[in-house]
Amino acid sequence: MRAFLFVFIAALVGTACDCNGGEEVEPSDAQASDLYGWWTVTEPDGTLTVFGFVPRADAPRELPVTAAEATGDISAVYRGSRGFLAEPVQLATFTVEDGEVLQTVIRDASATAGTQFRTRILALTRQRTLTLQSANAASGSRAFSWSARCPAALSHGYFEVPGQFCNAYFSSATSMVVDVRGGVHAASSVNGKEPPCAVGRLPVPTYSHFASACGPTLTQLPAFRSSAMASEGDFVHLAYQSLSSNLPEDFLLFYRTRELRGTWSEEQVAGQGHPIHQMRVLMRRGQPLILVSRTNGVIELYSRDTGSWSLVPTLLTTGGPLQGQMADATVDPAGRLVLLLEANHKLAYERAGGFELIDLPLAMATGFGGGVAVDTSGQVHVAYVYDEIGDNADGVGGRVVGGRGLYALYDGRTWTSHEAGPMAYPRLITRPEGPWRVVHALDKAARPALALTEVGRDGSLRSELITVESSFGPGNSPEPFHQFAAAMGPEGTIAATFMGNRLFIRPREDEIVREKTKLTVTIEGRGGGRVRSGDGTIDCTSTCTVDVPQGARYQLFFEPDGQSALDAFPCPTNIHALYGYCWYDVFPGLAQAPQFTVKFRQSPVASVLRVGAEDGSTTVRRLVAREGRLAVAASTTNGRFPFAGQVVNVGTATELLAVRETDGRVWAAPLPAVPDAVGLRADGTASALFFDNRGLSFPSGPAGSQTAPALVLAHYANGSFLRLERLAQLPQGTAVSAGAVGDDEAAGAVLYNGSGFGAVGVPELSLFVYRQPTGNVVLRGLDTQALAGSTNITLDSGNAAVSALTKLFTFTAGAPTGTREVANGQLQHFVLRGNQLDSSWSSFQGVLDFGGGPVRGQQSPAYFHAEHGLDLRLISASAVVRPELQYGPGSIFPGPSGPVFLTNTFRGGLQYGSLRDQGYLFTYAGDLAGNKAQPFLSDLDGNSLWVAVQNRGTVDYDVTRISSPFQTVLVQLRIP
């Protein structure tokens, strides 16, 4: 006999009965039974040779030999790489005599039938090792290792075996079952094809049976449209609807049964009927039931209790017929039927008076199917898709790419539901103990990859790959003749297939062996964060390498640190947007070790707070921030004011001042009108500045009158009015141009009167009113026209700056300290911090002089940034040269690392960045889908910039996602 020697590297599958395992046997005393099992050796190139020795009685069931060919015990030789040992290269009868294995060839690619071989046994340890003589080995012998099952699993521990004679064809109605011994049985019809099969391969319906051999036995079945299988004890049951070109023989319902070592017997169950949508064979008290769901919604039950088949009525407890599209069905421990109805979104439970319909916790998404099972305690388990996942960035809308899986448990009264993650076509399979399992596709595809996911009672998920290839045609629906099937045996073997041409088999838990590979997680970017898996295998804060089993799936969470955001990650964004995690699949057999990259970027967003209602009934008018406190002046029409997760009742007030304290407490006070400015004071109160020329009324009385307008400062605390300060009485015809309340307890306003302010001793047409931090009030005339819309004011540290058209004015304690005119410039924004004034400008002339000579821009209009001292002497000035700021830098603020800017993008997004660091740039919303984040108010608070933003649509602000048709939010941005 030819023998082959290979270096044994394959991890063998576990053992069966080890009653005599480990016992040394003298070669001369060896018997055929001492060799039963599977013996393996490998060559240095990794090629496996496997000898299988099978008892005569089991051979027709285990091997591709007929009962007539099995005149004795049978030996089989397989040769190839792991996972590709489906067909034997030799089949022979064998005996053991006087320390030799004697073989007579049945079929051999290199020898004629009847050829005989003799091979001497040199050493034998039962169910451990076998050493055979070999002239081809330098040592003169080959050493084999034993296993109960052929060690032909792929590197991730699964077997992949044929389900049809012709693997290029796809099944229209695959069904499968696992028997008590772990044998896998599948019935596959024929429909649809790729290129023609190899010569001699017929595209016929196939019965595939895989037991302990390296490949299955394949036999022909009658043509059928749909099928269902069950197994109990030593019997396999098959029901099918016939497929025939002869019309009288088409659409008939048949039943077949066979003992595991025997042959099929067949009988007709029912005559012609509508095409079958789904069908199940179920066992009740040792007798088969056939449950048929037809495409016209009719559900039929056939019973064989009396020895012949009869149609059993399926009525509801209300008396009507049970109807619908069945996705799956099972029998509970008491023998009652339980059906999962897809289009009805119901569970149908058989009771004494008929079927009770029970609402599912969520409606089923059509076209994805589902699974149902009942455990030994009587609790019902279901798994199905309840919503579709689109290919839009948020997973909602667009082309359907997958489904959202739901796992739910019904205890007879209530449902307990858990998200099962992204999946398609889920089938629930029973398990004797521990977490229940769902076999499913990874996504909606013409040929999807399959996975097995465990759902714990606490909703935790663990998953592994079944198939070794990525999905083919993701986003495409499978052809209607592709039928998904899955089964689990009582001893733990699991089997699944999507098209019937290939079957994927997972050995029981104690037999599965997976090869390891190194997974590298690369963490990049200017930010920082953590990558971890739900099971704790992966936990990296910097680039790391982890040993992982091939075929594993990891539920990955990407957690930025407190100053970072997730920028790029190795999974679809729509999945991550929906779940906050995504699955990473370690596909086996890759040429290179798996790796993925996660990028964390810096994030300027420290927090996001919602302000006001989502219906547009609230408008924020003013914003101020101080040492962690926030205040807004707002207009509202609904009597309730939501602010940062709290809601305050403002009664009939339409104008209000709302304050969020550092401890999160929120209060609000009614205002008589929209204030010209608001401020927060060091003593915990809040202030509002009003120019009153209408006779505003406060709790303390009127402030001014239409004939004698006044500038007043109202003070509030904890929702109540405290007092009113009258800063100045002003002449008739005065209008306010700008106002401010500073963090330094000062307040100020710029006013204009076409007749001048002679009544208060100021001849100019423009007036600056300044309330010092001590409470004293100073009036100063301005030699400019301080018109509303062209004027602004900023206060800080006892100083003030005023802009009016192209002029700048600065003051200390109300006394002038500097004046500067920037000819041909249009002031965009300015802010005073300490003794420095930062300002941004635009000019259509393209050149401006800020006091140090002309500064030329590079576009039209050109944009500029200038820094002046308190006396308005120039510190620096430069043109803003940033291609992304073609519409201007908007507002510019000083920061420890240089100035930052805040602006609107072309499509209504928020853009924030550094003028000096081109890598520090962030954009939120402003996309083609109409999602907007438009900043309209801002205020500095230490090294934070608070921005009031009008949010429309869905905007991801790094720390949270806001989805609303109209919502004002306060965004806290860090200043670097």
Side-chain angles (χ1 to χ4, degrees):
M1 173 183 175
R2 294 158 298 171
F4 309 96
L5 177 62
F6 302 85
V7 177
F8 181 68
I9 61 171
L12 295 180
V13 191
T15 62
C17 172
D18 198 26
C19 307
N20 299 311
E23 179 184 348
E24 291 188 11
V25 178
E26 283 292 328
S28 60
D29 296 332
Q31 301 178 25
S33 59
D34 295 324
L35 298 186
Y36 291 161
W38 301 87
W39 303 87
T40 307
V41 70
T42 62
E43 288 281 14
D45 64 358
T47 302
L48 275 70
T49 294
V50 181
F51 286 113
F53 298 99
V54 180
R56 176 185 179 182
D58 292 337
R61 175 173 58 89
E62 300 264 350
L63 297 169
V65 294
T66 65
E69 291 173 321
T71 57
D73 292 343
I74 301 296
S75 68
V77 179
Y78 295 83
R79 192 179 187 192
S81 58
R82 290 181 62 186
F84 298 93
L85 298 173
E87 299 180 14
V89 296
Q90 182 194 83
L91 287 166
T93 59
F94 84 96
T95 59
V96 177
E97 299 177 8
D98 298 327
E100 289 185 323
V101 180
L102 309 179
Q103 292 175 292
T104 302
V105 170
I106 299 173
R107 286 190 294 277
D108 189 315
S110 304
T112 59
T115 302
Q116 295 184 328
F117 298 105
R118 306 173 69 93
T119 305
R120 179 163 296 280
I121 301 173
L122 301 180
L124 172 63
T125 301
R126 189 179 289 118
Q127 297 184 3
R128 290 291 186 271
T129 58
L130 171 66
T131 304
L132 297 176
Q133 185 180 30
S134 174
N136 296 326
S139 62
S141 64
R142 301 284 191 266
F144 295 80
S145 297
W146 181 90
S147 61
R149 175 179 282 181
C150 175
L154 299 171
S155 60
H156 67 313
Y158 279 76
F159 294 86
E160 179 182 351
V161 301
Q164 296 180 342
F165 284 110
C166 178
N167 289 334
Y169 279 72
F170 304 145
S171 175
S172 61
T174 297
S175 59
M176 63 193 327
V177 71
V178 181
D179 64 37
V180 292
R181 302 179 183 180
V184 177
H185 308 257
S188 296
S189 185
V190 174
N191 202 342
K193 63 177 182 177
E194 289 182 334
C197 293
V199 176
R201 297 299 183 89
L202 298 176
V204 296
T206 306
Y207 170 67
S208 174
H209 175 216
F210 177 79
S212 65
C214 301
T217 58
L218 304 175
T219 55
Q220 186 173 346
L221 287 174
F224 59 86
R225 297 179 183 274
S226 58
S227 69
M229 298 186 79
S231 179
E232 188 173 79
D234 286 334
F235 287 86
V236 175
H237 308 268
L238 167 67
Y240 67 91
Q241 186 178 40
S242 63
L243 172 64
S244 175
S245 58
N246 183 12
L247 186 60
E249 298 176 356
D250 201 11
F251 290 100
L252 304 176
L253 184 61
F254 287 92
Y255 165 78
R256 281 187 161 215
T257 187
R258 59 166 289 191
E259 196 267 339
L260 294 181
R261 294 181 178 179
T263 57
W264 291 109
S265 63
E266 181 177 280
E267 53 198 75
Q268 184 174 331
V269 177
Q272 290 182 324
H274 277 79
I276 292 176
H277 173 70
Q278 285 283 358
M279 177 168 55
R280 295 289 182 268
V281 176
L282 304 170
M283 304 302 297
R284 179 161 64 185
R285 294 182 290 274
Q287 292 295 323
L289 300 174
I290 300 177
L291 191 61
V292 174
S293 172
R294 298 191 183 269
T295 55
N296 63 349
V298 172
I299 295 177
E300 300 169 347
L301 176 63
Y302 295 92
S303 171
R304 200 170 177 269
D305 290 342
T306 61
S308 61
W309 291 98
S310 60
L311 179 63
V312 180
T314 53
L315 300 177
L316 298 172
T317 54
T318 58
L322 175 64
Q323 293 181 319
Q325 297 293 328
M326 180 180 75
D328 195 15
T330 189
V331 177
D332 75 1
R336 295 172 296 185
L337 295 174
V338 185
L339 286 71
L340 180 63
L341 302 179
E342 183 173 346
N344 310 49
H345 316 299
K346 307 279 187 182
L347 192 73
Y349 210 119
E350 187 180 19
R351 308 299 188 188
F355 283 90
E356 175 192 4
L357 294 181
I358 302 167
D359 289 331
L360 294 173
L362 292 172
M364 292 181 68
T366 58
F368 286 98
V372 62
V374 183
D375 62 27
T376 54
S377 69
Q379 295 187 103
V380 181
H381 302 250
V382 296
Y384 60 89
V385 168
Y386 72 91
D387 197 9
E388 296 174 340
I389 298 175
D391 62 356
N392 290 343
D394 61 356
V396 179
R399 184 182 59 171
V400 177
V401 297
R404 301 191 70 171
L406 185 78
Y407 171 82
L409 180 70
Y410 183 67
D411 62 6
R413 294 174 306 222
T414 59
W415 289 99
T416 301
S417 302
H418 299 290
E419 288 273 357
M423 59 176 56
Y425 321 112
R427 289 293 302 272
L428 187 64
I429 55 175
T430 59
R431 186 181 182 187
E433 57 186 16
W436 284 52
R437 288 165 163 166
V438 181
V439 175
H440 60 91
L442 298 190
D443 39 36
K444 181 174 178 282
R447 190 187 306 171
L450 302 183
L452 175 70
T453 297
E454 289 183 351
V455 184
R457 295 296 176 98
D458 60 353
S460 59
L461 303 177
R462 192 192 74 83
S463 191
E464 62 190 49
L465 288 171
I466 294 176
T467 54
V468 298
E469 298 173 343
S470 300
S471 297
F472 173 81
N476 298 326
S477 298
E479 296 292 342
F481 47 75
H482 295 177
Q483 181 74 22
F484 188 28
M488 184 174 182
E491 46 71 72
T493 296
I494 295 172
T497 183
F498 191 75
M499 299 175 184
N501 56 355
R502 304 295 292 176
L503 311 181
F504 300 92
I505 300 164
R506 183 189 195 271
R508 68 189 192 195
E509 203 71 36
D510 61 337
E511 292 182 351
I512 192 167
V513 177
R514 297 182 177 90
E515 293 182 5
K516 291 290 189 75
T517 187
K518 292 188 178 298
L519 172 64
T520 299
V521 181
T522 302
I523 297 181
E524 296 179 346
R526 297 175 64 173
R530 179 186 181 199
V531 179
R532 66 174 181 88
S533 59
D535 65 353
T537 300
I538 300 170
D539 194 345
C540 308
T541 55
S542 60
T543 297
C544 63
T545 300
V546 184
D547 284 333
V548 297
Q550 295 190 30
R553 305 184 72 217
Y554 290 104
Q555 187 183 23
L556 291 183
F557 297 85
F558 311 101
E559 299 169 345
D561 62 26
Q563 298 191 22
S564 303
L566 187 60
D567 195 31
F569 45 93
C571 43
T573 56
N574 48 17
I575 303 300
H576 186 266
L578 288 171
Y579 290 100
Y581 70 83
C582 57
W583 290 101
Y584 181 80
D585 304 318
V586 184
F587 281 98
L590 298 177
Q592 296 180 337
Q595 58 181 332
F596 65 85
T597 299
V598 179
K599 187 175 182 181
F600 294 103
R601 62 170 173 81
Q602 289 177 290
S603 172
V605 181
S607 63
V608 177
L609 306 177
R610 294 175 182 257
V611 181
E614 296 185 38
D615 57 6
S617 61
T618 304
T619 304
V620 175
R621 308 288 188 179
R622 304 285 183 259
L623 167 67
V624 65
R626 181 176 183 179
E627 297 174 352
R629 301 174 70 208
L630 290 172
V632 296
S635 303
T636 186
T637 59
N638 61 11
R640 290 165 56 82
F641 186 69
F643 190 3
Q646 298 190 43
V647 179
V648 288
N649 193 336
V650 295
T652 59
T654 57
E655 305 296 338
L656 58 95
L657 173 67
V659 176
R660 178 182 183 268
E661 303 291 356
T662 55
D663 61 0
R665 181 172 55 91
V666 172
W667 57 265
L671 300 178
V674 177
D676 295 292
V678 294
L680 293 166
R681 300 173 63 85
D683 62 3
T685 63
S687 301
L689 182 70
F690 296 90
F691 175 68
D692 178 17
N693 61 357
R694 295 175 292 166
L696 298 180
S697 179
F698 293 86
S700 61
S705 67
Q706 293 183 354
T707 58
L711 186 68
V712 298
L713 191 64
H715 301 281
Y716 301 85
N718 297 319
S720 300
F721 172 81
L722 296 180
R723 60 190 177 89
L724 189 69
E725 272 187 76
R726 289 177 174 81
L727 304 185
Q729 199 83 18
L730 299 164
Q732 184 69 26
T734 299
V736 66
S737 299
V741 179
D743 289 352
D744 57 359
E745 318 298 327
V750 180
L751 304 110
Y752 178 78
N753 192 309
S755 300
F757 291 91
V760 294
V762 175
E764 289 89 352
L765 302 181
S766 296
L767 175 68
F768 171 51
V769 178
Y770 180 68
R771 178 201 183 274
Q772 296 174 337
T774 58
N776 295 326
V777 178
V778 178
L779 307 182
R780 297 289 180 186
L782 301 175
D783 59 345
T784 185
Q785 288 188 340
L787 301 176
S790 63
T791 305
N792 215 328
I793 182 172
T794 176
L795 309 175
D796 190 61
S797 305
N799 302 315
V802 172
S803 67
L805 297 174
T806 60
K807 285 190 174 182
L808 297 176
F809 304 87
T810 53
F811 305 87
T812 298
T817 55
T819 303
R820 171 74 60 192
E821 181 165 9
V822 181
N824 300 318
Q826 291 82 46
L827 183 67
Q828 304 293 307
H829 179 255
F830 77 150
V831 61
L832 182 65
R833 177 172 280 193
N835 294 324
Q836 181 174 308
L837 182 69
D838 278 57
S839 60
S840 56
W841 302 76
S842 65
S843 172
F844 282 95
Q845 282 75 14
V847 59
L848 292 179
D849 189 341
F850 298 94
V855 179
R856 190 170 300 279
Q858 297 184 7
Q859 61 190 53
S860 181
Y863 299 96
F864 304 86
H865 171 247
E867 298 171 336
H868 290 89
L870 190 60
D871 57 2
L872 292 180
R873 291 183 181 179
L874 181 66
I875 298 175
S876 68
S878 60
V880 177
V881 183
R882 296 284 292 271
E884 67 274 6
L885 298 180
Q886 54 182 313
Y887 301 105
S891 302
I892 292 181
F893 304 88
S897 301
V900 295
F901 63 85
L902 175 72
T903 186
N904 253 323
T905 65
F906 173 66
R907 289 192 172 90
L910 182 154
Q911 194 168 61
Y912 176 68
S914 168
L915 282 182
R916 296 178 183 171
D917 182 357
Q918 303 234 359
Y920 194 83
L921 177 66
F922 309 92
T923 301
Y924 300 93
D927 54 33
L928 291 172
N931 300 305
K932 298 181 183 297
Q934 298 174 279
F936 62 98
L937 293 171
S938 58
D939 192 45
L940 283 171
D941 181 24
N943 284 333
S944 288
L945 175 64
W946 283 92
V947 185
V949 178
Q950 290 180 345
N951 187 105
R952 295 190 181 212
T954 299
V955 184
D956 186 347
Y957 292 100
D958 294 341
V959 298
T960 189
R961 179 186 297 266
I962 303 292
S963 294
S964 173
F966 186 95
Q967 175 70 67
T968 299
V969 295
L970 301 184
V971 181
Q972 183 185 14
L973 300 173
R974 301 181 186 90
I975 297 181

